[in-house]
Amino acid sequence: MGTGASTQVQQPTRPVTAPYAKPAVNGNAAPSSSAKNPAPPKSAGLDLRRAHTSVQNNGHTSSDESTSSSPGARSGQQQDPPNYHRSQIPPPRPPRTLKSDIFSLERYKEVDDYVLNAPPKLLVGNFNELIKYLTRNNERWDDLCKIRAIFLWVTSIDVYNLKVDGVPPTHSPLEYFTKIQCNMGNHAHLISGLCQMAGIPCVIISGMNKSAAYDIGGRVDRKSMGAQWNAVYVNDDWRFLDAFWASACVVGRKTGEWTLVDSDGNVTQEDEESAEGTTQHRINEFYFFPDPDKLVWTHYPDEVQWQLLDRPVSQKEFEEHVYLRERFHYLGMKLMPNSHDRCVLSSKDGEIEIVFSLPPKSSENSRFKYMLYQGQKSRNKEEEDILLDRFVMFEHTAHLLRFTIRFPISGRFKMDVFGLDVTESDIFDLACTYIIQCNEAKKNCLPLPDVPPIGWGPGANAKEAGLKPITHDGAIIVTKDGNVEIRLAAEKNIQLHQMLKHALIDEATLSNYAVTRLENGEAVVNIRLPQGGEYALKLYADDAGKEGVAPNVLNYLIKSEGKNVSNPPFPNISDGSLGAKPLSENLGVKAITPKGGNIQAKNGRTRVEFQARSGVQLMVELHSSDELACKRMMVTPKEENGKWIFDLDMPEEGEYSLNVFGCSKNSVDRIYNVHSYLVKSDGRKLDGAEIDMRAQNKHVQTHVPIETVQTSDNEVLIPIPPGFEDVCASLHRRNANDPPNAHQVDIIEQDGIQLIRARLPEFGEYQLNLYDRDRKAVLRNIAKYQINRRPPGELYEDNTKMLMHNLGATQPIVEEDEEEYAAPSRIDKNESDEDKNKRMEEEQRRATRRQIQKAIDMKDPEMLERYIQAYEKLNPAYDDEMLVKARRVLAALDAKEELTQACQRRDLDSLKKAIARAKDVNYDHQLDLQLALANRLRDQLERIEKLRHSVLNLDSKTIAEIKTYSNPPDGVHQSMMATFILLGNTPKEVRNWRTCQALVGKTGKESLMRRISGFDPKDCSLAVAQLAKHMIENYSMSQIRDVSAGAATFFGWSLGMIEEIESTGGSGMGIISKPPQKQERPKTKNSSRNGKR
């Protein structure tokens, strides 16, 4: 039994034996004050062989002339002693075999079933009857069977919740259990006496254990941590038993010294409040014959020989050793040579790594979680608002478990690691605890790009998905140039999705820097990182053709450490994957040639052919990141009897993409990506006429505008960029396979503006691509949007820039390599100093322009501002094209950030100012989307303000009308109940109409108008809003208006406030999760007298 936490707390109604039933949660502490285990006083001594026993059963009293086996008996007839003498017991020595060599639950199921079906009357009988039942006359039952029966019967009794009506029968087991309740006996003495009666050598070991009296990471104290347990002699070896720790645990005990800051990647700031917790019963099999090298780290005997170890552990080692619990051993976790075996650690340069080995054969069934706490005494006021978001890297592979923690702030921390075996339970038990002292925070500490719940590296989830690493079997990938190729064996037919993440670069931008493909039984991921830093590659996989969201199965942390990393994106791949898409089958589209995802175009020309079902139209998008290539490339489509042919001409050598789309010929607003290719063209030389002809090509857009939209609504409106007449859209949920739905996207017009209306039925991440049709079958991408639909409370939780600002951290500056512009490609020996200086200045300008363009591509205002300043120092012309462009983009980025912050604050005045500024700098319509979203929010906030004023402008006569109702019309009472619930009254308070009348009539600070005037929807929780909604959901405005104009005003106000709270998540926003309850060992209370062996 011990301290710990779990995602599920279970309280069995009857004793259960793992793994036949799921045990209750094991804690991360130790025995507590509510369940004591002292050495018993003299009155509860060892001798169970004496005493005349009086048994009360069913109201009848009988006299048992046989010898009693009751603990604490003082009188009666002496029975013959057991068949061994105290001085003749075998000396202690380490057992020759492990527990697993001699015992398993399966082998002793017959014994367990027999014991767990024991008649209840044994509890009120005498000990002779009990031991006779537990050591039944069965020639197949050896001493181990008898010990097992005694242990299981004792631990199956829920001692601390045992209800006893009246006085229990004298010298009965029930009487002794009540003595344990009153600290006049303990489990160790009971086990010892029963074993003696069974003729089995048994000793009581006195010592100390790491129970609730133990302060994890602190000094051990024999007086406060005193305890007793047993050793039994069976099959010529000594084996440990601890029936107390095996049968009781304490849930919810907290010291009040810690603040939970990170629960398995879920950020929280929950201060612990001191609590004793409650004692719960469960049978913990670990404490039946635990191996000595495992038990010694929680149970330290007074006499060193009773450690039963070849190399005994010193008290100092016991004190300083990492706090290990039984779950650690159950899962086969081991401390490695590079592991920390001490409980109290110190970080180095603000970082620390905690690592364990795992058994490869069984670790695929293991799952792990962690909880990171910060000591409340080590926190200062300046750091109270800093959320420790994404600073723990959790790696779980077949061979190891590793936690790498980076500390952005100094202080004292506690790290709890939990685990479970999915084949036995869904309860996470505590495995181990470390105390970490961080004296110096990591400099410029950036958060991880992600904290995936399954951890990092190829583990059980990847194996279950049929993915086996070929090139990278660890969690971390280091690259110098930012180019990575990852290969995994695909051992079954799957669909694969990927997502690339960075702490500061939005996912929409990064979607063009990674592509996946399935070929020849392998899953291949190619990545080109745009700049240095840390990235998360998240892979999602599911069975081929399966609909719905694919689970996350594998994550890599990629570190780009090279100098001057700057890679171009891939040409546009619609969903980031090459080859046929799942929707191709739904639409009846099949590639004839080529069938894969890669094409080599010799002489710059190639042809693709598809077969499509009748009524399905195909279209293609050919794209290149090179402006000249875009200007000169051509696509020639042709359809003959359902066979579609696309001839591609790419005279410029380089890399292209071809995305093939399908749709119904009767519904062309929404198109579906059915196949994607990455094309490499060898190029060919054009003659003058061809060059002139292709110069007229309007298809010259290389950089597609990319934006990210955050929403909690199930519908978004996206403005169509101006200047395009024939627009269609492709919408897909990232990492998912959803069936075609033509009604999910349509084009509408509002206030003279064309909009794409996208319906988002589920929470998740969507990607919307807008295309212009130059011809009926040829597309070009004109805009790309990442739309993140999240629950209201999660919309603005990830503000990495604000976190970095609070920490004083900055994004690493990637400087241009001076060698790139310091040395000319051709040195002129006759070059004058003046010409050389001019050349060097021009080289610097070119280099800085490249950095400006990179900052524009990354949409990084800080980087852009820095390079604009550097460029201005080089004295460019006032109307320099790059400088003008950069200033406009910077102004737009600043205006965009101001709009975002105003939307988050939902302050109407701030929002109006931000909208006005954004309109002033909306060059090239790049802020159209943000302005559309902000205008929509402004209208909503103005409506709320109007509702507020409509209530405040009610005249006294209308208010008086509401108060005069003795029996209000249907809907009036409900409207006022909703109003008062929103204002803070409980449903119970306002259930009575007279109470509502009294609340309406209050004056001064408690007046209804004053309360409504000061009401802020952000301060009201979602739960309260839902209660209020329940009161009025069966009514409409017209119904209420027909019976009471005044009540209708309050009805409208309540409805508007509820809608606002639901859209923002209310005051609960940002609270991710509550920590699981802890369980710990009942504390052993020290006795004035310890029992001796």
Side-chain angles (χ1 to χ4, degrees), residues 378-395:
S378 68
R379 301 172 71 194
N380 58 57
K381 291 184 178 180
E382 291 76 19
E383 297 170 345
E384 285 183 354
D385 294 330
I386 295 176
L387 296 178
L388 298 184
D389 185 8
R390 306 201 306 269
F391 291 100
V392 179
M393 180 182 176
F394 159 35
E395 177 182 356

Side-chain angles (χ1 to χ4, degrees), residues 260-275:
L260 180 64
V261 293
D262 182 355
S263 178
D264 203 39
N266 294 321
V267 183
T268 179
Q269 289 283 74
E270 184 159 327
D271 290 339
E272 279 189 347
E273 294 184 2
S274 180

